[in-house]
Amino acid sequence: MSQSTCAAKKSAKENLGKNLDVLSIIYVVSYTLGYSALVKIFPHDHRLFTTDGLLLIGAALVLFLTSIRFFWSVGVIEACIVERIDKSSDIREDDGFKKRIRFIMLFDVPCLLAHSFIFYVLCEYLYKIAECILGDPAKLVETVQQCPATETMFHIQIFLFIFSVLLIVNAIWLFTLRTEGNETFAEFFWMISNAVTAALSIIVIIFAPSHMSYTSVMTLGLVLFMANTVADLWCCARIYTVDRLGKPRILGCDCRLSWLSALFAGRHQG
């Protein structure tokens, strides 16, 4: 391999890291705004320990654990691109590599932005459900339920549907991310698990409301999403912290290790 080809590959990886840093920052902002909405749902009195209060705590926990999973999605893109760069004899003349980069910009990046946006919407909608069930969670006085049970059920169905959309978007993205010979068990597991969970959730949304209370419907949906998340973290946790070559990474990008090392080195010297 010529020196110019090696230099081109090195430059491509460095530019990739910088661009994905920007995407990660957008993720951080969206997730932080979502977390702020989750904090607001908790009532500051005994309502926190009622059935509805505990249900909201469970929903917040499921969203938090889900965010841990999707926060590493940027690293999955980087792993695939770096693998493609390493396999290419000359990325400057590799039409397949150029097509892959074009597809990533037109599909993968919008999908990842959709992940963070949908997560934020879910957090805000959960706050709306909290207001519907408990009144204003921030008030230090007891309030009666603000919405009829049918309206509460409708909001819960919408919440579960948006959550299902998030899983479907992720499953579609994982399906398109696969390349020749690059599939891993983790990506395949994520895709199937998300698709099955979303399908079961939609079944609950359609059929359960006519036979169950809104509390039972919400609980059943959260159990499905929690099972999906726990199975994901239990079976594929290593993929979040170690790349395909067995090297440790932070947020999926080895470039961030260098950035953090330089930052702490500078502080130490100061």
Side-chain angles (χ1 to χ4, degrees), residues 7 25 27 38 40 53 59 64 84 90 137 164 168 189 222 233 246 250:
I25 290 173
Y27 249 57
L38 291 183
K40 292 189 298 183
F64 177 73
R84 192 64 178 263
D90 188 349
S164 300
I168 292 171
F189 179 85
L222 292 178
L233 296 175
I250 295 181

Side-chain angles (χ1 to χ4, degrees), residues 3 13 26 46 56 82 85 113 133 158 205 208-209 224 249 268:
Q3 186 174 357
K13 291 179 181 179
I26 296 174
H46 68 277
L56 292 171
V82 169
I85 291 174
L113 293 177
I133 295 176
I158 295 297
I205 294 170
L224 288 173
R249 63 192 183 194
H268 179 71

Side-chain angles (χ1 to χ4, degrees), residues 44-58:
H44 303 307
D45 54 22
H46 68 277
R47 290 175 293 167
L48 184 64
F49 303 103
T50 63
T51 301
D52 290 333
L54 294 176
L55 187 65
L56 292 171
I57 293 175

